[in-house]
Amino acid sequence: MLSMMEAIERRVSCRSYEKKPLEPSTLEKLTDCVNQLRDASGIGMELVTVEDEKDSVKLARSMFNGGVTTYLLLTGDGSPATGERAGYYAHQFVLYATRLGLGTCWVAGTYDHHSVHPKLAEGEQVLSVIPVGYPTEKVPLKQSMIRAGLRKGDRKDEAFVESELLFTQLPEWFRRCVEAVRMGPSAVNGQPINLSWQDGVIRAKVWKENHRMEYLDLGIAKAQFEAAAHAQGIKGHWELGKEGRFQWEQSE
Ligand SMILES: Cc1cc2nc3c(=O)[nH]c(=O)nc-3n(C[C@H](O)[C@H](O)[C@H](O)COP(=O)(O)O)c2cc1C
């Protein structure tokens, strides 16, 4: 199993999957993970597995080579709070699947919305799907080109941070967490999240709109940050919601 830092470094939006179902033991691990995250989050999370690819979510051919027979279906009301919560918890699933050597991709837009069959309560919608499967050994040109195109506009790590200190004056562990946020996924790679450091008080906020996905992106950024902090031995947890801080022991 990959370490968390390896998973953060290796994760990419996988756009090409092997045509084979997940091993039963792998599926079991993913199911346990989803059950825990659903209980903790209250977000609609269904790990859908079908036998035949034709019954699965149909990913846009312009962005993906073929599809998968397992995917996570995320549902909830369309509020910012729910978006942030869904991003934060479902991205822990993405990182776990990555640690198991699997490929994933957050897909909120480019799939056939009639190909999924969510159980929706009044006022709820599908927030995103996340296909999960074995990445093909050869990374297709399509994937490299799409990624290079989207990533060429990457912000610099220091551009993510608002602080009275220079980026180089901030603690090494914090800078690595910022790097993890930059390496994380965001809708159309908009990177709409800023982090702030004021006397050790750490917050995260949306600084620009991003195709109405900015709150999913906020939760994802928090999950990337927290995973990188834990990997470095910094125990801390994000509060979700407006003004939410990263609670950590400054003496550590
Ligand atoms: C909330 C969210 C929604 C996304 N929706 C789509 C999508 O509909 N189609 C797609 O091809 N990629 C989608 N992506 C993937 C992003 O384009 C990708 O994460 C970003 O370009 C960075 O590339 P990387 O994940 O390979 O590092 C989405 C990502 C996030 C976080």
Side-chain angles (χ1 to χ4, degrees), residues 11 13 15 63 106 108-110 147 150-151 185-187 189 220:
R11 183 220 56 84
S13 288
R15 301 179 184 281
M63 304 299 278
W106 277 89
T110 62
R147 187 156 203 267
L150 286 161
R151 281 277 172 190
S186 60
N189 202 36
I220 292 168

Side-chain angles (χ1 to χ4, degrees), residues 11-15 63-64 105-111 127-128 143 146-147 150-151 154 182-190 213 216-217 220:
R11 183 220 56 84
V12 294
S13 288
C14 178
R15 301 179 184 281
M63 304 299 278
F64 297 90
C105 184
W106 277 89
V107 188
T110 62
Y111 68 97
L127 304 173
S128 187
Q143 177 166 321
I146 291 174
R147 187 156 203 267
L150 286 161
R151 281 277 172 190
D154 259 15
R182 196 248 309 144
M183 290 192 296
S186 60
V188 291
N189 202 36
M213 305 289 168
L216 283 175
D217 292 340
I220 292 168

Side-chain angles (χ1 to χ4, degrees), residues 175-196:
R175 286 186 276 138
R176 292 210 74 192
C177 292
V178 173
E179 185 189 25
V181 170
R182 196 248 309 144
M183 290 192 296
S186 60
V188 291
N189 202 36
Q191 301 185 327
I193 306 308
N194 270 1
L195 296 153
S196 63

Side-chain angles (χ1 to χ4, degrees), residues 48-62:
V48 182
T49 297
V50 294
E51 264 181 35
D52 195 327
E53 206 189 298
K54 76 173 176 17
D55 300 321
S56 189
V57 58
K58 287 193 177 49
L59 304 172
R61 279 165 186 262
S62 54

